[in-house]
Amino acid sequence: MNELLKQNINKHVQFSASELEEFCKYFQLKTFKKKEHLLKQGDVCKFEGFVLNGCFRIFTLDQKGSDNTLYFAARDWWLMDNDSFMHQNPSHLNMQALEDSEVLMINRTDKLMLYEKLPIVEKLFRVMSQKALVAWQRRLIRNHCETAKERYQNFLSTYPSIASKITDKQMASYLGITHEFLSKIKKQ
Amino acid sequence: MNELLKQNINKHVQFSASELEEFCKYFQLKTFKKKEHLLKQGDVCKFEGFVLNGCFRIFTLDQKGSDNTLYFAARDWWLMDNDSFMHQNPSHLNMQALEDSEVLMINRTDKLMLYEKLPIVEKLFRVMSQKALVAWQRRLIRNHCETAKERYQNFLSTYPSIASKITDKQMASYLGITHEFLSKIKKQ
DNA sequence: ACAAAGAGTTGAACTAGTTCAATTTTTTTC
DNA sequence: GAAAAAAATTGAACTAGTTCAACTCTTTGT
């Protein structure tokens, strides 16, 4: 069932078979209907997830009510709100299923326990976080030096399977432009 | 000498006195003259640093030759290029001293050894990376939902000591605007 | 199957931010 | 302390992206 999770882990850090077993056995399969929220802004995040099937959108609503998409999590992606999970304060993020989805979830207590019990879990999340950091830094730079059209085209070619699952409005929110402008870009 | 480093570590993860000693003894003090580079784009990053005094600017030059500032590292900040350090490929980043500076540096071999020898070091960098990730996500959102003027004012009030050390050109490059436009913002 | 809501398109007027070029001010260098 | 280099300012013309409003097309719920 969680072969995909095991493969994902081993892409980052080499776990032994027994470490894999021990780590993975705390994950439970949960299903989400389209539009259902895995996390809502204001809630405290008490779990982390790994997407087996489907797709989620992770976004925040700011004071002015505008909708900013941080990222999309499809098959083989992790779902977490590091800030709320770490400090147990209300989350700024929403995680909503874009289609019926399956997620392997681990609750906070078990994850904290595993950090202690299985030192390699520290390493796994250290490596994953450092890789994610690099990706976020690149994205910020690209937002500065590329036009909206370039960013749109890059997204299409980098994440074709995600692009096909999302609406133009969600795409525009990810790119940081209005959906009207995205429509004009597409026309060209 | 490296009291500041020890305090910084303990802000993230509680180390025992002996762990602190063992970890810190691998750091060496290096000094950099104003304008000197700690890392140059194209070089492979073989060390990480912690700033004791002074200030660095971390930036990239893209194809078009334009200068993008990722962040400034002043006293009590870490300097690292996770991407190049992890994969030992040529760095995309420049790290340049904005004034005469002192940095505690650890080389790659020692750091990799310490990850193995002292499991709490994994935890330290896991926690630091997760916090940094949250900060980068926030910065991206702010770049989307705030105007250049708002971002400028936020920077001034959040990092007054850094703001006083950098030129307007460097500030503009951090904010993602032209220095001409920054000058017009300031006039208001 | 129909009504209602949401997503996408289009156009016109607008604004935040850019580009380029000229000028002044500040800093660096010898 | 003068000369050179770099930083900052200003203005005019421009452009990428926004806003608002009207309309059409698609999806959703019952």
Side-chain angles (χ1 to χ4, degrees), chain B residues 43-60:
Chain B
D43 293 353
V44 173
C45 179
K46 298 193 182 304
F47 38 71
E48 291 190 349
F50 174 78
V51 181
L52 285 184
N53 279 303
C55 189
F56 287 80
R57 183 168 75 99
I58 291 79
F59 64 101
T60 68

Side-chain angles (χ1 to χ4, degrees), chain B residues 25-141:
Chain B
K25 79 180 185 201
Y26 291 95
F27 284 79
Q28 286 186 10
L29 181 65
K30 301 219 175 160
T31 62
F32 293 87
K33 291 266 167 225
K34 182 170 184 172
K35 292 201 176 169
E36 202 178 332
H37 280 254
L38 186 146
L39 180 71
K40 267 201 173 120
Q41 205 160 347
D43 293 353
V44 173
C45 179
K46 298 193 182 304
F47 38 71
E48 291 190 349
F50 174 78
V51 181
L52 285 184
N53 279 303
C55 189
F56 287 80
R57 183 168 75 99
I58 291 79
F59 64 101
T60 68
L61 300 172
D62 63 28
Q63 316 82 313
K64 302 160 199 162
S66 86
D67 171 316
N68 291 97
T69 298
L70 265 96
Y71 65 101
F72 300 100
R75 182 181 171 77
D76 207 26
W77 283 67
W78 291 83
L79 279 166
M80 40 192 162
D81 177 351
N82 279 307
D83 192 28
S84 176
F85 188 90
M86 200 176 336
H87 303 109
Q88 292 288 281
N89 48 19
S91 176
H92 297 281
L93 306 183
N94 299 281
M95 300 186 173
Q96 187 183 26
L98 296 179
E99 56 187 25
D100 291 357
S101 303
E102 291 182 322
V103 184
L104 287 174
M105 294 184 69
I106 184 169
N107 72 47
R108 188 165 185 266
T109 321
D110 288 340
K111 198 185 164 199
L112 295 182
M113 179 275 289
L114 284 166
Y115 276 141
E116 301 279 311
K117 187 172 173 189
L118 229 52
I120 201 169
V121 173
E122 284 286 359
K123 179 168 185 161
L124 173 64
F125 286 93
R126 191 263 297 170
V127 168
M128 294 204 317
S129 304
Q130 288 179 338
K131 288 182 182 174
L133 207 43
V134 171
W136 281 92
Q137 291 180 351
R138 288 217 181 106
R139 184 163 161 211
L140 191 100
I141 294 295

Side-chain angles (χ1 to χ4, degrees), chain A residues 39-107:
Chain A
L39 180 71
K40 265 198 173 125
Q41 206 160 347
D43 293 353
V44 173
C45 179
K46 297 196 182 305
F47 39 73
E48 290 189 349
F50 174 78
V51 182
L52 285 184
N53 278 303
C55 190
F56 287 79
R57 183 169 74 100
I58 291 80
F59 64 101
T60 67
L61 300 173
D62 63 29
Q63 316 83 313
K64 302 160 198 160
S66 84
D67 171 315
N68 291 97
T69 298
L70 265 96
Y71 65 102
F72 300 98
R75 181 182 172 78
D76 207 27
W77 283 67
W78 291 83
L79 280 166
M80 39 195 165
D81 177 351
N82 280 306
D83 193 28
S84 177
F85 188 92
M86 201 174 340
H87 304 109
Q88 292 289 282
N89 49 19
S91 176
H92 297 281
L93 306 184
N94 299 280
M95 300 186 174
Q96 188 183 24
L98 296 180
E99 57 186 26
D100 292 357
S101 301
E102 292 182 321
V103 184
L104 287 174
M105 294 184 68
I106 184 168
N107 73 47

